[in-house]
Amino acid sequence: MCGIIGYLGYRDAYPIIINGLKKLEYRGYDSSGIAILYDGGYCLYKTKGRVCELEKKISYNINIKGKKGTTGIGHTRWATHGIPNDINAHPHVSNSNELILIHNGIIENYHAIKIILSNKGFTFKSKTDTEVLVNLIEYIKNENKLSLEEAVRISLNEIIGAYSIAIVEKSHPERIVIAKLGSPLALGINDKEFFIASDPIPFLNYTRNVLDLKDGEMAILKRNNELDLRQITNNHKLSPSIRELHINLKKIEKGGYQYFMLKEIYEQPKTIFDTLRGRLSNELICIEGIESNIDRFINAKSITIVACGTSWHASLIGEYLLEDFAKVPVEVEYASEFRYRNPIIEKKDIVIVISQSGETADTIAALKLAKEKGAFVFGICNVVGSFIARNVDAGMYTHAGPEIGVASTKSFTAQITVLFLLALKIGKQRSKITNYRYKLLCKELGSITEKVKTTLKIDNIIDKISINYHNVENFLYLGRGINFPVALEGALKLKEISYIHAEGYPAAEMKHGPIALIDEKMPVVIIATQNSVYEKIIGNIQEIKARKGKIIAIVNKGDFQASMLADHIIEIPKISEELSPILTVLPLQLLAYKIAYIRGKNVDQPRNLAKSVTVE
């Protein structure tokens, strides 16, 4: 994905755009660029690298600062078409230098359009689909003598793909045209000014009045708050629906932590508490999305959970919980695979889609496919007003608050918490869980935040382990039962931010291949909590020790047997097997963070990754 921002109003646009890009950099940081319009012309700068590199480049040239432009657009890129370099960076300019465009998304038929435009005399400097789009708009505009907005509308009807765009015209700096299909775009509205961004965070200091563009909508913005909202397909005029956004700005600042990821790890006692608040009261679970559709859940023949990345790992834990508590068959699917086959989904089925951002492209496509097949779609996401939140039949927010670090942490434990509530509620309604077990688990869930706080007090232990192993080339993560997905998540976190190769496996599968890798240089992280398969895990540890592997074991406090065998132990409080993933993942998050930090990596912005994958 990429981050786009724009401003049209009466203030100096440059500081608004450049500061907005810094806040959007979690969405992409391969390259960045900015264009500021003033009467009679514009200044445009772009460069490979992070926004700080763009600032340095601008500081050597006084043009952009010497002329006060009150219209501007900016972009921070996560490369799809074309390698990260100065030429491929946005904004992109049409052949006449009249139109300037920024774009988040993918134009799938750009190559065919490029050939047509090349045959008509257009030339291209970059390898991007965005430069093709801006020149298509110019061609249609000039060929048919159209206004910019009409040329944009016609052009967008000719392309295949996903996009959010903002386009300006050199000769008309008093206007910006924006449009959306598949990629997120928010419009902030204040007295005599507009703010455009991929999400509202960059303009919260200026306004809380937000219009979320829906798929297939475009808006023509003019000075003095002239807003013309239309459908792209038929040019039908629409009435804007503006909402007031309630976000605490302190929640999106680092608050004294060096990295957002570390801050978000330590926020988990609060985010789990917030996720439970109003939903769990003693032995009563209140979930409006379930209660108002209770017959659907009671009569469901099967449940399919669809997600990507970390959310997929949370979904696997949800599968264990739902099958255990509610006794309903559950399948967990990668959204990217689900959308490209012909899944057997019937009208009585339930499809649960999970996404932190609510804007994940593959998960959105899976949602649409499930609805086409007549399934009841239940959403779990973190972002209020996101596409998934608006388009599911019912759902739950995780209430984890803004998550800025690219590597998801607090959203994972919040998703597990929601899935635990969901499974308990459905199990109770289907009469598949005993009253005794239901009450016991509700009570334990209600006190989970204190155990999370205790677990996070392990800095010294994690520091020592990280120093010992920060230079290794490979890690193996093992877990059994409900903690197997935690092993997958731990491995993912390590490779995401430290760039060390790591694999997660079910511990019992070690003998089916991975055991060949184990020697004295291979650290093995094993989740060895006291549960129904504890003795089996002890056996796995002994197999590793016999081959001189280095063992880092996550154990329950007071455990003796596993602690005697391991080279390093990380203790967590005693907890039921069903709730253990909320605690066992915490040391793995901290271990990944500490190792990456020692290796000198940018923890919040790992290479080649972006926070949400809003393009395929």
Side-chain angles (χ1 to χ4, degrees), residues 308-592:
C308 299
T310 287
S311 297
W312 187 77
H313 296 156
S315 301
L316 292 174
I317 293 169
E319 178 181 19
Y320 281 94
L321 296 172
L322 281 162
E323 291 192 340
D324 185 6
F325 299 166
K327 301 296 185 287
V328 59
V330 178
E331 289 291 333
V332 176
E333 299 260 9
Y334 280 114
S336 54
E337 294 297 320
F338 182 86
R339 66 181 293 192
Y340 284 116
R341 62 184 187 83
N342 190 20
I344 300 172
I345 301 292
E346 298 179 355
K347 290 186 178 181
K348 286 189 176 182
D349 291 343
I350 291 174
V351 174
I352 299 175
V353 293
I354 306 180
S355 166
Q356 187 281 139
S357 67
E359 299 286 352
T360 308
D362 286 320
T363 309
I364 288 173
L367 182 161
K368 292 177 180 177
L369 178 60
K371 294 196 85 169
E372 286 171 7
K373 289 179 173 288
F376 177 82
V377 183
F378 189 90
I380 297 173
C381 67
N382 189 40
V383 180
V384 176
S386 60
F387 183 94
I388 286 176
R390 296 195 311 268
N391 288 277
V392 292
D393 297 303
M396 297 173 68
Y397 287 114
T398 52
H399 299 310
E403 188 176 63
I404 307 301
V406 166
S408 294
T409 51
K410 62 179 182 176
S411 64
F412 179 70
T413 50
Q415 287 169 352
I416 297 172
T417 304
V418 163
L419 287 164
F420 198 93
L421 284 170
L422 190 74
L424 269 182
K425 178 74 174 178
I426 297 170
K428 179 72 169 173
Q429 293 293 334
R430 288 168 62 96
S431 300
K432 299 297 184 181
I433 186 171
T434 66
N435 282 332
Y436 175 78
R437 189 182 183 204
Y438 172 83
K439 291 177 181 180
L440 197 67
L441 289 171
C442 282
K443 183 178 180 180
E444 191 171 19
L445 182 60
S447 62
I448 189 74
T449 55
E450 290 304 315
K451 292 182 178 181
V452 172
K453 289 178 184 177
T454 301
T455 304
L456 289 171
K457 296 175 182 177
I458 51 174
D459 277 42
N460 292 338
I461 297 166
I462 298 295
D463 284 344
K464 290 176 184 177
I465 296 171
S466 301
I467 290 167
N468 280 343
Y469 296 107
H470 73 277
N471 277 327
V472 302
E473 295 180 356
N474 300 283
F475 261 85
L476 186 62
Y477 286 70
L478 300 177
R480 295 193 79 144
I482 200 167
N483 276 300
F484 159 54
V486 177
L488 293 175
E489 176 64 10
L492 176 63
K493 285 292 152 285
L494 186 70
K495 55 190 165 189
E496 276 183 319
I497 62 174
S498 74
Y499 317 146
I500 293 173
H501 174 254
E503 293 295 332
Y505 265 89
E509 289 295 302
M510 183 178 62
K511 294 189 287 292
H512 294 272
I515 199 167
L517 299 171
I518 294 175
D519 58 20
E520 65 276 6
K521 296 179 182 179
M522 171 68 84
V524 180
V525 179
I526 187 162
I527 301 169
T529 50
Q530 292 168 318
N531 55 32
S532 60
V533 289
Y534 179 71
E535 294 303 324
K536 300 290 185 184
I537 293 170
I538 294 298
N540 295 138
I541 292 175
Q542 290 170 330
E543 290 166 349
I544 297 164
K545 290 294 289 183
R547 290 155 180 84
K548 300 181 180 180
K550 300 297 181 182
I551 295 172
I552 303 164
I554 297 173
V555 302
N556 290 121
K557 188 173 181 62
D559 177 279
F560 179 76
Q561 194 173 3
S563 299
M564 289 293 291
L565 292 169
D567 297 279
H568 311 274
I569 64 165
I570 304 169
E571 289 188 328
I572 66 170
K574 290 184 178 179
I575 191 170
S576 68
E577 184 173 354
E578 298 92 339
L579 273 170
S580 62
I582 293 177
L583 299 190
T584 56
V585 75
L586 303 177
L588 306 187
Q589 294 172 348
L590 283 170
L591 182 66

Side-chain angles (χ1 to χ4, degrees), residues 51 289 297 501:
V51 176
F297 288 95
H501 174 254

Side-chain angles (χ1 to χ4, degrees), residues 207-256:
T207 183
R208 301 298 180 95
N209 298 319
V210 179
L211 170 65
D212 297 301
L213 258 70
K214 297 178 182 177
D215 277 354
E217 292 183 353
M218 63 181 290
I220 302 95
L221 314 176
K222 296 181 182 179
R223 293 204 193 284
N224 299 318
N225 285 90
E226 288 188 43
L227 168 60
D228 186 1
L229 185 67
R230 295 184 175 271
Q231 286 183 343
I232 294 170
T233 52
N234 58 18
N235 205 31
H236 179 69
K237 191 174 178 64
L238 303 170
S239 297
S241 177
I242 298 168
R243 64 186 175 99
E244 185 178 358
L245 195 63
H246 299 281
I247 291 181
N248 185 343
L249 284 172
K250 291 182 179 178
K251 290 184 177 180
I252 53 177
E253 301 298 335
K254 289 182 182 175

Side-chain angles (χ1 to χ4, degrees), residues 290-310:
I290 294 179
E291 289 166 2
S292 57
N293 299 280
I294 195 62
D295 288 343
R296 285 275 194 175
F297 288 95
I298 290 174
N299 298 318
K301 299 296 183 184
S302 68
I303 295 176
T304 301
I305 309 179
V306 182
C308 299
T310 287

